[in-house]
Amino acid sequence: MSARLEYVLRLADTSLVLGQRLGEWIGHAPALEEDLGLANLSLDLIGQARLLLTYAGEIEGRGRNEDDLAMSRDQSDYRNLALAEQPNGDFGHTIVRQVLIDAFQLELYEGLQRSTDARLAEIAHKALKETRYHFRYSAGWLIRLGDGTEESHRRVQGSLDSLWRFTRELFAEDDVDREMASAGVAPQLADLELRWSAHIDEVLKEATLQRPADVPYVWHGKRGQHTEHLGYLLAEMQFLHRAYPGASW
Amino acid sequence: MYTQGLDSPGREALHASSPDTAALEARFQARVDADEKIEPKDWMPEGYRQTLIRQISQHAHSEVVGMLPEGNWITRAPTLRRKAVLIAKVQDEGGHGMYLYSAAETLGISRDQMMAQLLSGAAKYSSIFNYPTPTWADVGAIGWLVDGAAIMNQIPICRCSYGPYARAMVRICREESFHQRQGFEIMMTLARGTPEQRRMAQDALNRWWWPALMMFGPSDAESRHTAQSMRWKIKRFTNDELRQQFVDITVPQARFLGLEIPDPHLRWDEASQHYVFGPIDWAEFQQVLKGNGPCNRERLEARRRAYEQGRWVREAALAHAEKQRQRAAQAA
Ligand SMILES: [Fe+2]
Ligand SMILES: [Fe+2]
């Protein structure tokens, strides 16, 4: 697989898997406003995934479209960040996961707007506008929950402590990242990390939350090394496609 | 959706009027007769207010509970396009719930009160959402039939005498007709698909047809309060009129899909220029209204669970807002 295809799939799958997770909330959120808010995020992410998967299919050149890629790859062929596949937990847990990824995508799409890959630059331009809104939404909630009641503070601090170990992967550079960065396709991950960290520190401060210490083990969802959760997510998402091979919907 | 059995005014409506209120009522009725819109600050008979509160809040609850049966398929939608369209649809229904709660609030009831009535089981919502959605075809059938019936019920409410309700309904109807077309398109794809998909589509039609007809509420003969609601221009057509209109429009659509309406008595009547359909199982309808439908428990439990599990979140938001207020006051 070419580095470019790998790279585009990483972007696509992260958005798709996160969008799928957020979709689980709709109808079950703490208030009607949040059903609508989470639905917005989910819709945007799935929209990004569709554009990116379509592009990935074109790069691959085997005639696979967005649905072929979404519905027939097994988990080891998925390239999303392991953070995106983590289960929703309570609303606060979902918000913590969202803040961590939104701040990352914010800087990622900002950088990708200047990509030498015109297609990616175009997708990033659209996605950046959406991601600004996502980050406002998730950061706003994290601040409310962190600096809310004792219970809410305790819960989101716990979620932060539990999810933090997946953040190392965001910046764990590998050959694909290096090749894309040197070709001017992707921004340098080291630069992103600094800006991500600044966003996170700012939000955590206002939310009165403690930044956890970094942990040594690095997940590599983007190389297909996933946690146990992704298989279930895909089993659900891909069920019709697998139960009725060849049918169109 | 989704109004249903909504023609039952509160007990308050049956109060005898004093001489003072008789004059006010006469003036009120004259305004309604002249097709003027009644606005929140205007005087209105208590029965009118209570009828509207009940109808609009039931309608709002139906939108919100209605998110569940279809929401059930968001994670399993067969393509990414279908998934996005379904999320947007369920999101629209939540939005409808919000406009309608706001419209009801103009009548002097709070959203919290209405939510408490829903969760305690005191308030009703449309019986249709107590049926299960075991297959993807149910998403198509709901869009086609349930949103279709909702439109039929709701278009006349766009001209309802109560301004906020009428205005909310204009926007809602536009979205419902979009949902109806999307649902029909899903059914068409299935009906023209593989034999298994066809079977899935027919099975969904078999299960949703009669509950959809029940959405229009009891037959006119059973429906005691239609006349009062018609006088108040809350209702413009009787339940049976709307049901007939729905059947007349939907039967040809089913034929177009190549699906069979599950009614052996169904036939075209040349004389009346209407379809004649078989008897509705009102005993089933009554049971579903009483809470004994296939999914009443699941639907209410899902709403209760979301509410309970969201409590700490809502409390945190309030506590944070209060802290912000205090900080602002100290800074000033
Ligand atoms: Fe609706
Ligand atoms: Fe609808």
Side-chain angles (χ1 to χ4, degrees):
Chain A
M1 209 187 294
S2 77
R4 191 178 302 251
L5 177 54
E6 279 279 348
Y7 187 73
V8 174
L9 283 175
R10 289 174 180 188
L11 301 178
D13 292 344
T14 296
S15 287
L16 176 57
V17 166
L18 187 59
Q20 170 79 3
R21 277 288 184 230
L22 292 169
E24 294 171 18
W25 268 108
I26 303 167
H28 308 279
L32 215 36
E33 285 77 359
E34 272 39 73
D35 280 313
L36 270 53
L38 294 168
N40 272 333
L41 267 57
S42 176
L43 270 176
D44 286 345
L45 288 160
I46 288 164
Q48 292 166 15
R50 293 179 62 193
L51 296 172
L52 289 161
L53 285 174
T54 299
Y55 183 37
E58 290 167 22
I59 299 172
E60 188 189 43
R62 287 169 47 198
R64 294 207 282 180
N65 64 21
E66 58 182 54
D67 291 316
D68 297 325
L69 287 167
M71 300 299 177
S72 45
R73 282 177 303 150
D74 196 358
Q75 59 101 37
S76 58
D77 289 329
Y78 261 74
R79 294 290 183 258
N80 58 285
L81 298 167
L83 180 56
E85 74 206 33
Q86 296 313 303
N88 287 336
D90 65 16
F91 180 75
H93 201 74
T94 292
I95 288 296
V96 169
R97 184 185 65 200
Q98 196 65 34
V99 166
L100 297 173
I101 298 183
D102 285 344
F104 176 70
Q105 287 191 330
L106 191 64
E107 291 304 329
L108 178 67
Y109 289 135
E110 172 69 42
L112 279 172
Q113 280 195 114
R114 290 180 294 278
S115 174
T116 53
D117 184 317
R119 187 74 169 273
L120 277 183
E122 186 192 323
I123 295 171
H125 182 71
K126 176 177 179 291
L128 179 62
K129 279 188 238 156
E130 295 166 346
T131 310
R132 284 201 188 106
Y133 164 81
H134 301 175
F135 187 55
R136 260 204 309 281
Y137 178 87
S138 61
W141 265 112
L142 189 59
I143 290 164
R144 256 169 269 160
L145 296 175
D147 186 26
T149 63
E150 248 174 69
E151 179 186 8
S152 68
H153 179 89
R154 179 172 46 73
R155 282 181 185 248
V156 286
Q157 182 67 58
S159 295
L160 187 64
D161 294 344
S162 140
L163 290 172
W164 191 258
R165 65 204 156 107
F166 296 107
T167 60
R168 286 303 80 212
E169 182 190 357
L170 275 50
F171 309 104
E173 203 174 59
D174 65 5
D175 288 346
V176 170
D177 294 311
R178 275 187 286 274
E179 191 180 330
M180 289 297 99
S182 68
V185 172
Q188 295 281 354
L189 280 180
D191 293 345
L192 291 195
E193 182 167 17
L194 288 175
R195 286 198 289 274
W196 176 84
S197 218
H199 284 308
I200 294 298
D201 285 342
E202 196 185 328
V203 175
L204 293 186
K205 180 161 178 264
E206 213 182 323
T208 71
L209 295 166
Q210 293 295 321
R211 180 175 171 136
D214 287 340
V215 291
Y217 187 83
V218 182
W219 280 99
H220 286 293
K222 60 186 185 182
R223 292 187 215 152
Q225 294 162 19
H226 292 286
T227 60
E228 292 171 344
H229 304 293
L230 184 62
Y232 291 97
L233 179 145
L234 295 181
E236 193 171 343
M237 185 172 84
Q238 299 175 337
F239 130 77
L240 273 175
H241 195 84
R242 293 189 182 282
Y244 301 91
S248 48
W249 302 91
Chain B
M1 220 315 323
Y2 305 65
T3 59
Q4 164 182 80
L6 303 167
D7 47 351
S8 47
R11 237 167 261 123
E12 304 83 349
L14 309 174
H15 279 182
S17 315
S18 73
D20 295 350
T21 55
L24 286 165
E25 269 172 27
R27 216 173 77 85
F28 171 85
Q29 190 60 50
R31 291 187 59 199
V32 170
D33 292 343
D35 275 331
E36 279 180 48
K37 287 279 178 260
I38 307 300
E39 296 300 332
K41 292 207 169 80
D42 297 344
W43 185 90
M44 62 186 82
E46 196 48 28
Y48 178 83
R49 181 187 302 276
Q50 294 303 330
T51 300
L52 277 170
I53 286 179
R54 187 170 288 97
Q55 173 161 339
I56 300 172
S57 66
Q58 281 184 8
H59 191 162
H61 297 328
S62 302
E63 299 282 359
V64 171
V65 175
M67 296 168 78
L68 298 170
E70 284 185 284
N72 197 18
W73 278 92
I74 287 174
T75 57
R76 292 177 293 166
T79 70
L80 298 183
R81 182 175 79 85
R82 295 282 187 211
K83 189 190 294 290
V85 168
L86 180 57
I87 292 172
K89 186 200 172 186
V90 175
Q91 187 185 38
D92 285 348
E93 307 299 5
H96 298 171
M98 295 213 321
Y99 314 146
L100 288 163
Y101 284 128
S102 301
E105 282 182 322
T106 64
L107 291 159
I109 186 169
S110 71
R111 193 163 123 188
D112 285 345
Q113 283 172 292
M114 289 184 271
M115 199 52 76
Q117 290 170 353
L118 172 66
L119 298 180
S120 74
K124 296 281 176 253
Y125 56 87
S126 183
S127 60
I128 195 82
F129 299 115
N130 292 314
Y131 290 87
T133 52
T135 78
W136 170 251
D138 293 315
V139 173
I142 289 180
W144 172 36
L145 300 173
V146 177
D147 288 86
I151 294 164
M152 210 119 312
N153 257 333
Q154 290 171 189
I155 293 268
I157 305 176
C158 297
R159 294 187 295 130
C160 164
S161 59
Y162 189 57
Y165 193 23
R167 288 188 289 273
M169 208 50 61
V170 171
R171 181 164 174 191
I172 290 175
C173 281
R174 217 173 8 232
E175 293 180 351
E176 302 297 12
S177 61
F178 195 56
H179 300 165
Q180 196 270 349
R181 282 202 298 277
Q182 289 163 345
F184 187 75
E185 206 245 318
I186 291 176
M187 292 304 275
M188 187 134 83
T189 306
L190 295 175
R192 312 229 156 127
T194 65
E196 287 106 322
Q197 286 175 309
R198 255 190 104 64
R199 205 175 317 132
M200 205 184 268
Q202 181 64 55
D203 169 63
L205 173 57
N206 294 348
R207 286 180 291 107
W208 290 96
W209 174 252
W210 291 106
L213 295 194
M214 293 176 198
M215 282 175 67
F216 296 93
S219 74
D220 296 347
E222 303 293 317
S223 180
R224 286 174 302 144
H225 302 294
T226 294
Q228 179 61 78
S229 281
M230 296 266 228
R231 254 193 314 280
W232 279 333
K233 294 193 181 167
I234 294 173
K235 210 173 160 72
R236 299 257 177 183
F237 299 98
T238 70
N239 296 351
D240 286 336
E241 283 167 348
L242 291 167
R243 188 166 14 246
Q244 184 66 54
Q245 198 185 342
F246 175 75
V247 171
D248 289 344
I249 286 184
T250 310
V251 170
Q253 294 174 348
R255 301 251 155 95
F256 180 80
L257 291 172
L259 299 176
E260 203 180 320
I261 301 278
D263 178 356
H265 300 285
L266 187 75
R267 62 177 174 84
W268 174 252
D269 181 54
E270 200 50 49
S272 65
Q273 291 289 300
H274 287 299
Y275 282 97
V276 176
F277 51 94
I280 292 174
D281 182 356
W282 290 114
E284 173 181 324
F285 177 70
Q286 290 305 333
Q287 282 306 319
V288 178
L289 280 191
K290 279 192 193 120
N292 300 319
C295 297
N296 293 61
R297 265 167 211 283
E298 286 80 355
R299 301 295 181 241
L300 258 194
E301 274 164 17
R303 288 314 313 160
R304 285 184 189 136
R305 197 161 48 238
Y307 187 80
E308 285 308 319
Q309 294 181 349
R311 185 185 300 278
W312 70 274
V313 175
R314 296 188 303 272
E315 286 171 358
L318 287 176
H320 180 76
E322 178 57 21
K323 284 183 191 176
Q324 292 289 81
R325 198 189 58 75
Q326 285 178 9
R327 281 173 203 144
Q330 274 167 14

